[in-house]
Amino acid sequence: MKSKELSVDLRDRIVSRHKSGEGYRKISAALKVPMSTLASIIRKWNKFKTTRTLPRAGRPSKLSDWGRRALVREVTKKPMVTLSELQRSSVERGEPSRRTTISAAIHQSGLYGTVARRKPLLSKRHMAACLEFAKRHLKDCQTMRNTILWSDETKIELFGVNVRCHVWRKPGTAHHQANTIPTVKHGGGSSSMLWGSFSVAGTGRLVRIKGKMTAAMYRDILDENLLQSALDLGLGQQFIFQQDNDPKHTAKISKEWLQDNSVNVLEWPSQSPDLNLIEHLWRDLKMAVHRRFPSNLMEFERRCKEEWAKLAKDRCAKLVASYSKRLEAVIAAKGASTKY
């Protein structure tokens, strides 16, 4: 049973005796009030200068402290646990199972349900290579970054809908491995593949890849678009070409073409899209194209090229300027995923 509150008169007498210099033990014996209650009343007086009952925050939670800690442990251990699963485990412990009660308890611990970010599945070898690359290039990135021609392929879904997954996490932990969804490059679906390039001066050529790309197709793309893109962007012949480690990029015929044309290729760590600046341009392009609702592949290709050409040069320049910060972020994350 909850005990009755002390009267305001009694609380005022406690404070009056305390201010006159009487000790807790003497006041407790004289007024027959527990010393813990005395301490609480005096703390309240020191903080708020009143003994009156202050407005309360609301109805006390039915969830016990033990139940709240159990929920926090569960979502910390399994960030992708669903609210329904938390309800079931709360019922098994004999605790309240209302969704709002459980959510409020988790929020009070600084954990919030958000959409999990999709990040590449990284092994220890991937992280070590990425960390070594970042350390090696951090010093010279200021002078080198403006000479790089960035490139990559991307897949744009024509009519598909991206599946979302919610995860419980604290602010600032969106890119921690436990809070992300592992992805692999170029998964299935109704889509179209594109190859593109850009530099600090703006976007280069954009090419739609018809069918499944082979090493021979990639060599032809380079032959028809790479050097011309570098020329159009004012990079000259001494530019640095960035590409990832896709097997078609590292195939013998691709390497031979690059060597025959004296193209300086930037050695690139596997599974490191956080470092590839073009990933942000792909996102911009996808958003712009989807806003125009292309209804067929011909219209889709036309829309892609139009929107690619519209991407602002300032946007490209800002992305290139962020390269050193990306390297620093990779070093801070010890080769793991970053916010980029």
Side-chain angles (χ1 to χ4, degrees):
M1 288 286 292
K2 184 178 179 180
S3 60
K4 291 180 63 176
E5 288 187 344
L6 299 183
S7 67
V8 175
D9 177 65
L10 182 55
R11 283 180 262 172
D12 288 341
R13 286 162 58 194
I14 290 170
V15 172
S16 177
R17 284 173 173 259
H18 171 70
K19 290 169 70 175
S20 68
E22 288 189 29
Y24 283 20
R25 193 180 297 278
K26 187 175 181 180
I27 298 173
S28 175
L31 301 179
K32 295 181 172 50
V33 175
M35 283 196 291
S36 59
T37 304
L38 289 177
S40 176
I41 292 171
I42 292 169
R43 279 198 305 271
K44 181 177 180 180
W45 167 259
N46 290 332
K47 185 174 182 180
F48 300 107
K49 301 302 179 185
T50 184
T51 59
R52 271 53 176 177
T53 301
L54 297 174
R56 292 184 171 88
R59 194 175 82 176
S61 174
K62 291 185 177 180
L63 192 64
S64 67
D65 291 340
W66 173 77
R68 183 177 288 104
R69 291 195 299 271
L71 286 171
V72 173
R73 282 197 303 271
E74 190 168 355
V75 299
T76 302
K77 187 176 180 180
K78 298 187 296 181
M80 293 187 185
V81 65
T82 65
L83 201 51
S84 297
E85 291 172 333
L86 292 174
Q87 283 182 289
R88 287 194 292 270
S89 60
S90 187
V91 169
E92 291 172 359
R93 290 190 294 269
E95 294 282 338
S97 60
R98 290 185 63 183
R99 298 172 73 90
T100 53
T101 301
I102 292 173
S103 295
I106 297 172
H107 293 167
Q108 288 172 2
S109 300
L111 294 161
Y112 301 90
T114 61
V115 177
R117 307 292 176 89
R118 293 182 177 271
K119 287 288 181 176
L121 182 61
L122 299 177
S123 65
K124 291 183 179 180
R125 179 175 59 84
H126 291 142
M127 290 189 283
C130 202
L131 178 61
E132 193 274 332
F133 175 90
K135 289 180 176 179
R136 188 170 70 249
H137 288 282
L138 183 59
K139 292 182 180 179
D140 59 2
C141 72
Q142 300 288 345
T143 56
M144 184 180 69
R145 66 189 184 189
N146 290 344
T147 65
I148 298 176
L149 182 64
W150 306 86
S151 75
D152 197 13
E153 297 86 26
T154 192
K155 177 185 70 173
I156 299 187
E157 298 286 345
L158 295 177
F159 312 108
V161 178
N162 291 329
V163 177
R164 291 186 172 189
C165 177
H166 285 77
V167 59
W168 295 99
R169 65 172 176 82
K170 290 188 175 182
T173 63
H175 302 276
H176 288 189
Q177 193 167 4
N179 300 333
T180 61
I181 299 173
T183 62
V184 295
K185 291 178 73 69
H186 317 323
S190 177
S191 60
S192 187
M193 291 288 297
L194 301 172
W195 176 92
S197 63
F198 91 103
S199 75
V200 68
T203 54
R205 292 190 172 187
L206 185 73
V207 180
R208 178 174 162 246
I209 302 167
K210 298 178 181 179
K212 186 176 180 180
M213 188 170 73
T214 63
M217 291 171 65
Y218 182 65
R219 178 201 56 195
D220 292 341
I221 289 174
L222 297 179
D223 189 49
E224 296 170 8
N225 300 279
L226 181 60
L227 298 181
Q228 188 60 49
S229 290
L231 183 63
D232 294 341
L233 294 170
L235 295 176
Q237 296 181 345
Q238 301 303 315
F239 70 93
I240 300 172
F241 179 50
Q242 182 277 329
Q243 61 176 0
D244 61 27
N245 293 308
D246 187 288
K248 295 174 283 294
H249 300 174
T250 56
K252 183 178 179 181
I253 57 174
S254 300
K255 287 183 175 181
E256 288 177 348
W257 186 94
L258 292 167
Q259 292 171 358
D260 292 344
N261 289 273
S262 302
V263 177
N264 183 12
V265 179
L266 178 63
E267 185 180 352
W268 197 253
S270 300
Q271 292 288 75
S272 55
D274 287 358
L275 289 174
N276 196 346
L277 311 180
I278 201 171
E279 297 292 342
H280 292 263
L281 291 186
W282 289 140
R283 184 183 61 187
D284 294 347
L285 176 66
K286 292 173 183 180
M287 292 175 63
V289 170
H290 287 159
R291 281 195 295 264
R292 299 184 66 177
F293 303 106
S295 58
N296 55 62
L297 286 176
M298 289 183 61
E299 183 183 358
F300 167 78
E301 184 175 3
R302 185 173 70 254
R303 298 282 192 237
C304 286
K305 290 185 177 181
E306 290 172 355
E307 296 299 333
W308 184 252
K310 288 180 185 178
L311 294 177
K313 293 182 180 179
D314 288 347
R315 170 67 164 155
C316 298
K318 287 180 180 179
L319 285 174
V320 173
S322 72
Y323 184 47
S324 57
K325 292 182 179 179
R326 292 165 185 269
L327 294 174
E328 291 171 353
V330 168
I331 294 172
K334 298 181 180 179
S337 297
T338 70
K339 68 177 183 178
Y340 296 101

